[in-house]
Amino acid sequence: MLPQGKWSALRVKQEFDSKSINLKSLIDTLDSIIHEKGKIPVISDPTENTDTFFAFQNSNIIEMKSVIVAKSSQGLESALEKMRQKLVAALKSGNTLVLRLSNSTPDLEAYKSDEFFPSILFDCHVEEVEEQAEEQVYGGFGGKASEGPGKNRLKTKAVFDVCGKEWLNKLFREQDKESGIAVSRDGFKIIVTTNLSPAEISSKLSSSLPLSKCMILEVKE
């Protein structure tokens, strides 16, 4: 059995999937990672241009630095409620939930809770589905590429473990429900953004994020 220090060294040296991209290719890359590979993107961008991009998309953003401040000044439950509200809004609208870390390295395990921010959110996989292509269907982030009317095809589809799950009733409050039902709409996805480099992500966030289920993207100009 290895001493604790050597186990720590092994964890630091562990390598995770990563890729360098430029900002212009971000949309297509995210589509590929989420819908073809079933991975959660963790975006490394010290310029924060990626954060600016998502501020103008159909997204709900959890500012972890603000959450950390709220935890310190108002208590953990108040901080968790801020996260829950953003999560519920993204689920109900089928939006992208952006977990914005900036330069912080929070212990995300401390914020995971079935009633506020469940760990099951990071369960994503892909499955093949047969669908009939429609004419002039839009493409882009979360969109679909058309092959013309009347054609059946197989495509891969990212599935986040959210729809039809009992835990949604734990997460949703009565005022969040629609006709008494906790509703999650198609299109929901999670991404993480950070100012850290890929090496720092691997060493500083490996205990907080399930990096084996993620793809690290380094945005370069």
Side-chain angles (χ1 to χ4, degrees):
M1 183 173 179
L2 289 174
Q4 185 176 357
K6 292 190 176 182
W7 278 120
S8 299
L10 286 175
R11 285 197 293 270
V12 170
K13 291 180 180 179
Q14 186 175 0
E15 294 183 357
F16 300 98
D17 291 342
S18 63
K19 182 178 183 180
S20 295
I21 63 169
N22 58 50
L23 191 60
K24 291 182 179 179
S25 65
L26 178 63
I27 293 175
D28 289 338
T29 304
L30 291 177
D31 273 339
S32 173
I33 290 172
I34 295 171
H35 298 294
E36 295 176 16
K37 301 181 184 299
K39 295 273 190 175
I40 296 171
V42 178
I43 304 174
S44 166
D45 184 2
T47 69
E48 300 188 352
N49 288 332
T50 301
D51 295 314
T52 301
F53 169 79
F54 280 110
F56 293 94
Q57 305 301 308
N58 294 326
S59 62
N60 297 88
I61 302 174
I62 295 178
E63 299 276 2
M64 279 308 301
K65 292 184 80 171
S66 296
V67 171
I68 293 168
V69 170
K71 178 186 175 186
S72 177
S73 60
Q74 303 169 29
L76 178 59
E77 187 167 342
S78 178
L80 289 174
E81 177 60 18
K82 293 180 184 297
M83 298 178 71
R84 189 196 71 81
Q85 290 176 4
K86 294 286 188 178
L87 169 57
V88 169
L91 285 166
K92 292 177 67 174
S93 301
N95 283 351
T96 300
L97 181 70
V98 180
L99 194 62
R100 186 186 183 199
L101 304 184
S102 298
N103 60 354
S104 66
T105 55
D107 178 10
L108 293 176
E109 288 296 323
Y111 295 91
K112 291 178 182 178
S113 163
D114 288 346
E115 296 183 352
F116 293 94
F117 198 79
S119 57
I120 198 172
L121 288 169
F122 289 93
D123 288 342
C124 177
H125 65 278
V126 291
E127 63 182 24
E128 284 194 342
V129 294
E130 185 173 351
E131 66 172 20
Q132 185 172 3
E134 299 177 6
E135 191 173 11
Q136 296 181 343
V137 174
Y138 67 90
F141 188 42
K144 300 173 183 177
S146 175
E147 294 183 359
K151 289 185 178 180
N152 289 327
R153 62 177 181 178
L154 285 175
K155 65 178 288 259
T156 56
K157 171 185 173 185
V159 180
F160 284 83
D161 199 357
V162 296
C163 296
K165 299 299 181 183
E166 292 183 1
W167 64 264
L168 284 175
N169 288 318
K170 296 181 181 179
L171 181 69
F172 279 54
R173 309 299 184 250
E174 285 305 314
Q175 65 269 24
D176 301 322
K177 296 179 180 179
E178 300 179 15
S179 301
I181 299 174
V183 176
S184 63
R185 290 185 168 84
D186 188 44
F188 172 79
K189 60 187 72 67
I190 299 176
I191 68 162
V192 180
T193 67
T194 175
N195 296 2
L196 301 181
S197 69
E200 290 173 323
I201 291 171
S202 296
S203 63
K204 296 181 179 181
L205 296 178
S206 60
S207 61
S208 297
L209 290 172
L211 292 180
S212 61
K213 300 179 181 180
C214 301
M215 169 75 81
I216 300 172
L217 297 178
E218 183 180 18
V219 177
K220 295 187 174 181
E221 297 186 51

